[in-house]
């Protein structure tokens, strides 16, 4: 007994220590959350001044929600220290709720202030960013004449279709730079007038315009390099394509290979003569597609040549065998429906489904098909064999059900009339099977006579 009471005492002491720690956490969390509200309120005032009320709406709403829930936390803390005595369970529940509310408040405010931190930092650096936009615009303007000269030089070598992606880039870049300089001026004037939200919008538009202008000018220089690379790759693919055609002509021919050779030859013939402005990107794409098509056709032809293609006669035999197996299984199950269980019926249904899929695969009734393409014979034979196998299984399962349902006595013994049961009595099982199978009426008449 002394050990029992000793353990109980230790448990009470540990629980009291945990409650004290929780109470201390509740007080600390409450102070921290209240201070965080005060700091965030100051940050909201600055953010609204820099970004405008629309941009700070979510932070303002979060701050209002936090203040409301923190009021609940203060009320719970007051209940812990009023004149009304509280049980340890009540104190524990309130302190846990206080900690939960305070942690939620700080997490929500962290999330909302972090979402605005980058924009606030950008607003604080607005004068510096405005000067950067102007400097970048001035630097990029010096590249515009060079880009125009590059486009003119490229026009002497490449077609209008090829240059369509970059020929307007210098003019567009110049317009964007003018817009960026104007936007920087608007941002500066709006800031001086205290219209911070409009100033930030103008500054963001100016910064984006400078970035897009730089991208357009870079694209002109990149085009020249990529066009030369495409021409070099095109020359290599032309040589490879001619070699591929020579190899393909020696391969076992199939309609697909012949068609792929024709398409590749047409793509080679469509290449412009020397000295004509070209579009190396389009020509390279067209030639690659034709070359890949020939490779795929040759691979398929080789795979088919390596396979043993079943003779048409064998495929026809497999289909006929499936039809015979299905016919037998259908007749047996239809003639003994009262005795046939779910397994046999399921196999028959699956066999019929596979047989129907075979007709769909061949596009006509397999039994009436006079020709089956070589590419379809192997799969057609597999489907026919699958249908025959399932039909055979259905027949075996049906025979099992019939054997289990037959009377166990001799042919002249009915086992005590209809009350003998399906297996033991015989009469009930036999008549149930016959009646369930809808045996022809003349047989029934003869048995009752």
């Amino acid at each position: 007994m002394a050990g029992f009471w000793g353990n109980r005492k230790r448990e009470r002491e540990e629980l009291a220590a945990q409650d004290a720690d929780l109470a201390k956490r509740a007080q600390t969390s409450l102070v921290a959350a209240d201070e965080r509200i005060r700091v965030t309120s100051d940050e909201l005032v600055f953010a609204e001044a820099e970004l405008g009320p629309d941009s700070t709406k979510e932070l303002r709403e979060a701050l209002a929600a936090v203040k409301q829930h923190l009021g609940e936390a203060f009320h719970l803390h007051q209940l812990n220290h009023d004149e009304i005595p509280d049980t340890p369970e009540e104190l524990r529940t309130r302190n846990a709720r206080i900690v939960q509310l305070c942690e939620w408040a700080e997490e929500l405010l962290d999330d909302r202030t972090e979402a605005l931190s980058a924009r606030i930092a950008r607003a604080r650096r607005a004068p510096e960013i405005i000067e950067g936009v102007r400097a970048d615009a001035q630097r990029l303007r010096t590249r515009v004449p060079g880009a125009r000269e590059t486009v003119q030089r490229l026009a002497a070598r490449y077609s209008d279709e090829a240059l369509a992606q970059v020929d307007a880039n210098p003019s567009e870049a110049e317009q964007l730079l003018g817009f960026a300089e104007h936007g920087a001026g608007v941002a500066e004037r709006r800031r001086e007038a205290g219209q911070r939200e409009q100033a930030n919008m103008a500054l963001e538009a100016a910064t984006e315009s400078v970035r897009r202008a730089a991208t357009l000018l870079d694209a002109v220089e990149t085009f020249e390099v990529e066009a030369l690379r495409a021409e070099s790759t095109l020359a290599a693919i032309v040589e490879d394509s001619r070699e591929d055609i020579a190899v393909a002509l020696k391969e076992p021919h199939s309609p697909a290979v012949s068609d792929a050779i024709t398409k590749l030859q047409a793509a080679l013939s469509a290449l412009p003569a020397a000295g004509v402005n070209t579009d190396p990107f389009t020509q390279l794409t067209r030639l690659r597609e034709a070359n890949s098509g020939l490779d795929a056709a040759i691979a398929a032809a080789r795979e088919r040549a390596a396979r043993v293609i079943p003779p048409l006669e064998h495929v026809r035999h497999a289909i006929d065998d499936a039809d015979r197996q299905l016919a037998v299984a259908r007749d047996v199950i239809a003639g003994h429906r009262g005795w046939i269980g779910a397994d046999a019926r399921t196999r028959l249904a699956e066999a019929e489904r596979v047989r129907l899929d075979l007709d769909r695969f061949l596009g006509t009734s397999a039994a009436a098909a006079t020709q089956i393409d070589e590419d379809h014979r192997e799969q057609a034979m597999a489907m026919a064999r699958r249908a025959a196998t399932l039909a055979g299984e259905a027949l075996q399962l049906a025979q099992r059900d019939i054997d289990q349902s037959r009377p166990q006595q001799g042919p002249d013994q009915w086992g005590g009339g209809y009350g003998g049961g399906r297996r033991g009595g015989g009469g009930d099982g036999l008549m149930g099977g016959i009646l369930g199978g809808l045996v022809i009426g003349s047989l029934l008449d003869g048995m009752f006579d």
Side-chain angles (χ1 to χ4, degrees):
M1 289 296 294
F4 172 76
W5 291 113
N7 291 335
R8 295 281 294 177
K9 181 179 179 182
R10 281 195 298 272
E11 290 177 357
R12 288 195 299 270
E13 291 174 350
E14 291 175 358
L15 185 58
Q18 293 174 1
D19 288 344
D21 181 65
L22 181 60
K24 184 177 180 180
R25 280 184 59 199
Q27 295 180 26
T28 304
S29 299
L30 197 57
V31 172
D34 188 48
E35 285 300 315
R36 181 58 192 275
I37 288 177
R38 298 177 188 279
V39 172
T40 305
S41 298
D42 295 338
E43 292 178 349
L44 178 61
V45 172
F46 176 80
E48 287 183 342
E50 290 291 336
L51 304 177
D54 292 340
S55 299
T56 57
K57 179 182 177 182
E58 291 186 357
L59 177 58
R60 186 167 56 254
E61 291 175 348
L63 193 58
V66 165
K67 287 179 179 179
Q68 178 182 353
H69 286 83
L70 202 63
E72 178 188 347
F74 277 118
H75 177 66
L76 293 173
H77 187 65
Q78 176 62 33
L79 292 176
N80 288 344
H81 297 83
D82 60 13
E83 67 280 2
I84 301 175
D86 300 306
T87 65
E89 289 77 11
E90 290 175 334
L91 292 171
R92 189 179 307 121
T93 301
R94 290 174 190 156
N95 287 329
R97 177 61 176 169
I98 291 171
V99 171
Q100 179 187 29
L101 288 171
C102 293
E103 289 178 348
W104 168 82
E106 295 214 47
E107 288 176 0
L108 180 61
L109 294 180
D110 285 342
D111 180 68
R112 296 297 186 267
T113 53
E114 185 178 355
L116 289 175
S117 59
R119 297 183 63 185
I120 293 174
R122 184 180 180 83
R124 287 172 175 170
R125 295 177 52 243
E128 177 186 347
I129 296 174
I130 289 173
E131 291 304 317
V133 167
R134 287 173 171 158
D136 290 342
Q138 185 177 2
R139 174 179 55 81
L140 290 173
R141 280 190 181 278
T142 62
R143 294 177 54 188
V144 174
R148 285 199 172 97
E149 292 177 1
T150 300
V151 170
Q152 292 175 358
R153 184 173 64 253
L154 293 172
R157 183 177 182 86
Y158 302 108
S159 65
D160 294 340
E161 292 77 9
L163 284 175
Q165 53 184 304
V166 296
D167 59 352
N169 283 21
S171 298
E172 292 179 4
E174 191 170 29
Q175 292 175 1
L176 286 169
L177 293 174
F179 180 80
E181 291 171 338
H182 175 70
V186 171
E188 192 172 47
R189 291 191 295 273
R190 291 291 187 271
R191 283 186 63 82
E192 292 173 355
Q195 300 172 340
R196 297 301 179 88
E197 187 172 6
Q198 296 180 7
N200 291 329
M201 292 175 60
L203 184 56
E204 289 179 3
T207 304
E208 176 63 17
S209 297
V210 169
R211 186 195 66 79
R212 288 181 57 194
T215 301
L216 291 173
L217 295 175
D218 291 341
V220 174
E221 299 175 1
T222 302
F223 178 89
E224 187 171 25
V225 175
E226 293 299 326
L228 291 173
R229 185 177 299 170
E231 287 186 281
S232 176
T233 304
L234 181 63
I237 290 184
V238 167
E239 183 178 353
D240 290 342
S241 297
R242 289 171 178 161
E243 293 177 358
D244 290 344
I245 290 175
V247 172
L249 292 172
K250 300 176 183 178
E251 292 283 334
H253 269 215
S254 69
V257 172
S258 299
D259 183 60
I261 291 174
T262 300
K263 290 181 179 178
L264 184 53
Q265 289 174 333
L268 290 171
S269 300
L271 293 175
V276 178
N277 288 8
T278 63
D279 182 355
F281 302 105
T282 301
Q283 294 162 5
L284 183 59
T285 299
R286 186 182 301 121
L287 198 58
R288 274 176 173 164
E289 290 176 353
N291 193 285
S292 298
L294 179 58
D295 290 341
I298 291 175
R302 287 175 177 174
E303 181 182 357
R304 189 176 63 180
R307 293 199 315 263
V308 178
I309 300 175
L312 178 60
E313 183 180 358
H314 291 183
V315 179
R316 296 292 311 158
H317 288 166
I319 294 173
D320 292 342
D321 179 57
D323 290 340
R324 284 194 298 270
Q325 295 270 22
L326 276 166
V328 172
R330 286 193 199 102
D331 290 345
V332 171
I333 291 176
H336 302 80
R337 285 200 300 269
W339 291 343
I340 306 303
D343 292 343
R345 295 169 186 266
T346 300
R347 293 295 196 286
L348 179 61
E350 182 67 9
E352 290 176 336
R353 185 192 67 79
V354 174
R355 181 61 182 82
L356 183 59
D357 287 344
L358 176 57
D359 286 343
R360 291 171 180 162
F361 173 70
L362 296 177
T364 183
S365 171
T370 57
Q371 283 294 332
I372 300 176
D373 187 81
E374 290 184 356
D375 293 334
H376 297 155
R377 290 181 187 175
E378 188 173 1
Q379 187 171 350
M381 176 172 279
M383 296 175 74
R385 287 176 173 172
R386 174 64 175 162
T389 300
L390 289 168
E393 292 176 359
L395 183 61
Q396 292 177 359
L397 292 169
Q399 188 61 53
R400 179 201 65 185
D401 294 340
I402 293 170
D403 291 342
Q404 290 178 353
S405 300
R406 290 183 188 277
Q408 302 300 313
Q409 288 87 359
D412 296 329
Q413 296 176 350
W414 288 89
Y418 297 113
R422 285 183 59 84
R423 296 179 60 86
D428 189 21
L430 177 61
M431 294 306 298
I434 292 175
L435 293 173
L438 298 179
V439 180
I440 49 180
S442 59
L443 176 59
L444 287 174
D445 294 340
M447 289 181 64
F448 284 120
D449 289 341

